[in-house]
Amino acid sequence: MDGSTLVKDSWRGSVFVDGDYRPLAQRSGLDVLEKATGDVLGVAGLGGVAELEEALRGARIAQPDWAAQPYTRRAELLRAVAALLQESAQSFTELIMRETGSIRGKAEFEVQLATEELLTAASLASSVTGEILPSSDPHRFSVCERIPVGVVALITPWNFPLILATRVIAPAVALGNSVVLKPSPETPFSGGLAIADLFAKAGAPAGLLQVVLGDQEFSEALVAHRDVDMVHFTGSTAVGAKIAEVAGSQLKRVSLELGGNNSLTVLDDADLDTAVMIGAWSTFHFQGQTCITAGRHLVHRDLFDGYVDRLAERARAIAVGDPSREPVGLGPMINQRQADRAARILHDSVAMGATVVEGGVIDGLFFRPTIVTGITTDMPLWKEEIFAPIAPIMSFTDDDEAIELINDTDYGLVNSVLTSDEERGQRLARRIRSGMVHINDATCIDEPSAPFGGLGRSGLGGRIGGAANLEEFTERRWISAQRGSLAYPY
């Protein structure tokens, strides 16, 4: 299938505001590339100040009316969007593959998980309940209710464009908010306008979901705008810190899902073959370009040599190429900047004494899965989030040393512990400083019902997923009613 045919004419050079695609001048366009070939999929429209003001004005108008709708209407909309996504699963899969460079299995998983997010959020619409509060005055009736935050500004990355937008849009809309989405310039179609298409076809009211692609200046204006009640950002820690600074100066709610420097720890009693399988998946899936990738492999010294050998064997067996044209395990990196950054981290660490056991070969955007040993804690491969298919491996001698190494990072997103003794794994999990810990599983797992988020430089704000969404996208309001006579002294 020609990649350009996946992009609808209505999306080209357009923004989605108040239920309509609005073409912009060609001078404000951005070429969106198919990552494996460099071919142009389509030209996306870059919005400016006028589009920002229009989108926020529409979202502000739409939000109170939407919040006043019965929960059955909000649930009905999300179920309708989920059904439309299932019907168009094949075209979404192809579009994600072309825009992100992912293999088919990753794209199919993303469509499936996004569908589950929509359906889970539909049930969330009926979960908003209040509380009757105790009062020192027997004649005062006090209740606490949950109300929507208001207008949510959503800024998303390119690695999982559909799911990372949907997991915020769905619960926010379910709970009565409106959303202004600014997708990544790498994936404005699968992460933005194609989603808007689903909501429009499902009958979403105008202004409920606005989609406008913009540059850095646009993003800064969106975060700072007075009509934005909450900012949700998924991306780098450096950008997240700047957003937090702006939002903090305005006392505006902010939720940041940021980077990770995650460890996969293999204890001495772990099954080696299972550990290698989990380790390969945790680091190499989608070219290592996720915040929940395992960027550090910590292996007990008794298993170290066998683990390195078997992981290198698995790495050699992975085919790398264009996922749209051949059956491969890894596709291209998202862009040259990412490939060059990963190459620099690898090169600098090797210059400091690290050894490449397998891989290390880069051909354009195609990066062979790479195994590195001889790691020390002062190397870039240890300290930085790599975001590439590189597995640095370090040994440890006992559980205490493992915990010390795991926690030797300012990040705190996710960690995995592999062991044949689950109770031992539970004990270690409680000593790990991170928002998520998995025992005998990969670092890279996500479920709509689970609270997703990190500590330290990995995030700020609440959690996404399940009941945590109630805290994320609503505020509490206290209402009291005096039912007796009063006698205040003034």
Side-chain angles (χ1 to χ4, degrees), residues 263 265 296 298 377 382 394-397 399-409 415:
S263 294
T265 303
R296 301 182 296 169
L298 307 177
T377 57
W382 177 264
M394 179 184 286
S395 68
F396 63 90
T397 57
D399 290 3
D400 288 339
E401 185 183 8
I403 291 296
E404 184 178 348
L405 291 170
I406 292 169
N407 290 334
D408 181 28
T409 176
N415 289 274

Side-chain angles (χ1 to χ4, degrees), residues 208-252:
L208 180 64
L209 174 61
Q210 315 275 51
V211 179
V212 183
L213 178 64
D215 57 16
Q216 181 178 336
E217 184 178 353
F218 178 94
S219 298
E220 292 171 354
L222 174 62
V223 169
H225 202 284
R226 65 181 182 179
D227 278 336
V228 170
D229 299 300
M230 173 184 176
V231 179
H232 189 286
F233 169 77
T234 300
S236 74
T237 298
V239 174
K242 294 178 182 178
I243 290 174
E245 184 177 356
V246 173
S249 69
Q250 300 180 359
L251 302 181
K252 182 180 298 186

Side-chain angles (χ1 to χ4, degrees), residues 60-276:
R60 176 62 67 193
I61 293 170
Q63 189 273 320
D65 291 340
W66 179 247
Q69 294 293 315
Y71 77 82
T72 50
R73 167 71 179 111
R74 287 180 262 128
E76 177 186 43
L77 173 66
L78 292 171
R79 286 194 294 266
V81 173
L84 288 167
L85 179 56
Q86 286 180 312
E87 290 174 11
S88 55
Q90 183 174 350
S91 60
F92 261 92
T93 297
E94 292 288 342
L95 185 58
I96 291 169
M97 291 173 66
R98 301 300 178 104
E99 265 195 309
T100 69
S102 74
I103 64 172
R104 181 170 299 277
K106 179 266 187 186
E108 290 175 339
F109 168 77
E110 191 168 349
V111 173
Q112 175 191 343
L113 189 57
T115 304
E116 293 173 6
E117 290 280 0
L118 289 159
L119 294 174
T120 301
S123 65
L124 185 68
S126 60
S127 300
V128 183
T129 57
E131 306 168 69
I132 298 176
L133 305 175
S135 176
S136 59
D137 184 339
H139 301 294
R140 180 181 295 125
F141 180 70
S142 281
V143 298
C144 178
E145 66 174 5
R146 287 189 179 272
I147 59 174
V149 171
V151 176
V152 178
L154 172 58
I155 302 174
T156 56
W158 44 260
N159 51 354
F160 280 77
L162 175 60
I163 186 57
L164 293 180
T166 306
R167 72 172 183 173
V168 175
I169 296 169
V173 165
L175 296 170
N177 303 281
S178 59
V179 179
V180 177
L181 166 62
K182 192 216 80 75
S184 165
E186 296 283 359
T187 53
F189 300 130
S190 61
L193 294 174
I195 300 171
D197 218 40
L198 297 176
F199 275 81
K201 289 178 179 177
L208 180 64
L209 174 61
Q210 315 275 51
V211 179
V212 183
L213 178 64
D215 57 16
Q216 181 178 336
E217 184 178 353
F218 178 94
S219 298
E220 292 171 354
L222 174 62
V223 169
H225 202 284
R226 65 181 182 179
D227 278 336
V228 170
D229 299 300
M230 173 184 176
V231 179
H232 189 286
F233 169 77
T234 300
S236 74
T237 298
V239 174
K242 294 178 182 178
I243 290 174
E245 184 177 356
V246 173
S249 69
Q250 300 180 359
L251 302 181
K252 182 180 298 186
R253 178 180 285 206
V254 63
S255 181
L256 306 175
E257 297 286 350
L258 307 177
N261 190 7
N262 316 303
S263 294
L264 180 108
T265 303
V266 183
L267 301 184
D268 56 343
D269 61 352
D271 179 80
L272 187 55
D273 285 334
T274 301
V276 170

Side-chain angles (χ1 to χ4, degrees), residues 4-88:
S4 62
T5 63
L6 296 167
V7 177
K8 296 185 178 181
D9 289 340
S10 58
W11 304 347
R12 299 176 189 272
S14 299
V15 297
F16 183 83
V17 175
D18 293 345
D20 292 321
Y21 292 101
R22 304 191 179 180
L24 302 176
Q26 189 65 34
R27 61 180 174 80
S28 63
L30 174 72
D31 287 346
V32 180
L33 305 180
E34 181 176 349
K35 302 307 180 288
T37 64
D39 295 340
V40 176
L41 286 171
V43 178
L46 279 173
V49 174
E51 288 74 29
L52 174 64
E53 293 292 341
E54 197 172 1
L56 286 169
R57 186 183 308 114
R60 176 62 67 193
I61 293 170
Q63 189 273 320
D65 291 340
W66 179 247
Q69 294 293 315
Y71 77 82
T72 50
R73 167 71 179 111
R74 287 180 262 128
E76 177 186 43
L77 173 66
L78 292 171
R79 286 194 294 266
V81 173
L84 288 167
L85 179 56
Q86 286 180 312
E87 290 174 11
S88 55

Side-chain angles (χ1 to χ4, degrees), residues 293-315:
T293 292
R296 301 182 296 169
H297 293 232
L298 307 177
V299 182
H300 191 275
R301 63 183 181 183
D302 291 348
L303 301 181
F304 184 82
D305 290 341
Y307 185 88
V308 171
D309 290 343
R310 297 188 197 188
L311 189 62
E313 184 180 350
R314 279 184 176 261

